[in-house]
Amino acid sequence: MDNIKRRTLLGMGVLGASALIAPRVLYAASSSAEQHEIPLWSKPPGGNGPDGPERTNAKGSVTNISRPRLVVYRPERPDGSAVLVIAGGGYGHIERGSESIPAAQWLQSLGVTVFELVYRLPGEGWSNIAPFQDGQRAMRLIRALAPKYELATNRIGILGFSAGGHLAGTTAAEPDARRYQAIDAADQFSARPDFAGLIYPVLTFMPPYDNTRSRREIIGKNPDLAASEEFSVERHVTSGMPPTFLAQAADDPIAPIQNSLLMFNALKAAQIPAEMHVFQDGGHGWGLGKPDSQPRAWPGLFESWTAHNGWIKKA
């Protein structure tokens, strides 16, 4: 009887630990690790952009973007993997302070070389495809720079939050779309990531799930169905889509949970390896996850998923 109790308690302990997976380190980027910027373009296509300097508010949200770029976070002991990290903000601003910077620092602490994308916004004088041009160009630049950063070219992923999830998903689903004219040798490289993480993503612009700022900023308030379908990620999933990780809260008031459900079903229909985590509550915009919340588990789950598939080396 004592043995049965012991085994039961041990089993409960294992289940409890697996249910509370959390990132080992959340914000602890090494002060000695290298960080620098790479411009995406000498002259960005698709408009003239905003006047005046870039603006960042007290929460780290960025607007007035005329210099699309990659911010590179190099770990002290890189494992050869890389991730392009993209914050959201409804294509009206970029939530660097609460999303892409903390995520970049966390991944950097795991040994990942991180490229944080600062992309252009359509409402600031740029074309509505400017963010997608930037996402595609960013992936190609990372692949072109793989020898310099000692990256394994089969271990380069993409991670996006909210509207950044839409941008990441679009880049992953349509890497070969002709979004701009090639400008240099980097544009001969593939824009397809090897894996994708989509966190509380906006993915569909189709009714009745189309009441998002992302949809309004990209295709306007009254688009036709053809335009909505053109920018709905789940409608463009093919056998070429990379394996995908999804995480979202069931009570998300900004991006309905159907975004992830539709995407997961599209991935399974195309026989793409996929993992999805739906949290009972948590809302939207939780970044790495607030303390004592269910979404706090997602970074650990993502780390385990990438390690299981051999993209990131789990220490």
Side-chain angles (χ1 to χ4, degrees):
M1 191 72 167
D2 287 341
N3 286 338
I4 293 173
K5 286 182 180 178
R6 256 195 309 274
R7 285 196 298 271
T8 303
L9 288 171
L10 282 170
M12 289 173 66
V14 170
L15 286 171
S18 65
L20 296 173
I21 294 172
R24 294 197 306 274
V25 181
L26 289 181
Y27 301 94
S30 170
S31 59
S32 62
E34 181 184 346
Q35 185 181 126
H36 59 276
E37 295 185 349
I38 301 171
L40 292 183
W41 318 89
S42 55
K43 178 175 174 33
N48 296 314
D51 294 325
E54 196 169 287
R55 293 192 288 266
T56 304
N57 70 13
K59 295 183 178 179
S61 176
V62 180
T63 55
N64 223 51
I65 296 157
S66 58
R67 291 189 310 111
R69 61 198 183 275
L70 294 170
V71 182
V72 187
Y73 300 73
R74 298 190 75 177
E76 287 186 348
R77 289 181 289 278
D79 72 357
S81 65
V83 174
L84 175 63
V85 176
I86 311 175
Y91 291 114
H93 56 277
I94 302 178
E95 294 286 358
R96 294 190 66 198
S98 60
E99 292 178 345
S100 55
I101 291 175
Q105 293 174 339
W106 159 61
L107 287 167
Q108 181 188 29
S109 76
L110 302 180
V112 180
T113 301
V114 182
F115 299 82
E116 180 199 6
L117 179 61
V118 181
Y119 55 95
R120 292 169 294 156
L121 304 170
E124 297 183 343
W126 300 110
S127 160
N128 72 322
I129 66 166
F132 310 108
Q133 292 173 329
D134 291 348
Q136 192 174 55
R137 172 71 174 171
M139 281 301 307
R140 288 171 173 162
L141 275 175
I142 293 169
R143 291 201 174 278
L145 293 168
K148 174 181 177 179
Y149 292 100
E150 299 181 323
L151 305 178
T153 55
N154 61 346
R155 295 166 55 205
I156 299 173
I158 196 167
L159 176 68
F161 300 82
S162 192
H166 183 265
L167 178 47
T170 298
T171 303
E174 300 181 278
D176 300 321
R178 293 178 178 243
R179 303 199 187 279
Y180 62 90
Q181 280 194 320
I183 59 172
D184 57 28
D187 287 323
Q188 304 306 312
F189 286 81
S190 173
R192 180 188 180 274
D194 297 301
F195 59 94
L198 310 177
I199 312 303
Y200 47 90
V202 176
L203 295 170
T204 188
F205 285 2
M206 298 296 290
Y209 312 115
D210 56 347
N211 187 28
T212 60
R213 180 176 181 176
S214 296
R215 191 266 293 164
R216 293 191 295 273
E217 292 288 341
I218 297 298
I219 55 176
K221 293 182 179 180
N222 300 296
D224 59 30
L225 284 178
S228 297
E229 186 167 11
E230 180 183 356
F231 289 97
S232 291
V233 180
E234 81 282 1
R235 297 299 181 99
H236 300 281
V237 173
T238 67
S239 59
M241 181 82 184
T244 301
F245 177 99
L246 295 153
Q248 194 164 16
D251 65 347
D252 191 325
I254 304 298
I257 188 60
Q258 282 81 3
N259 282 273
S260 287
L261 297 175
L262 288 167
M263 188 65 181
F264 185 78
N265 287 336
L267 290 163
K268 297 314 290 180
Q271 299 184 335
I272 304 301
E275 180 165 315
M276 179 172 64
H277 297 275
V278 177
F279 301 109
Q280 178 178 312
D281 50 54
H284 189 82
W286 19 268
L288 291 178
K290 298 174 183 177
D292 302 319
S293 70
Q294 285 194 314
R296 182 76 163 190
W298 87 259
L301 294 165
F302 181 75
E303 181 185 353
S304 295
W305 178 72
T306 53
H308 173 75
N309 286 284
W311 298 308
I312 294 176
K313 295 180 180 178
K314 191 168 184 177

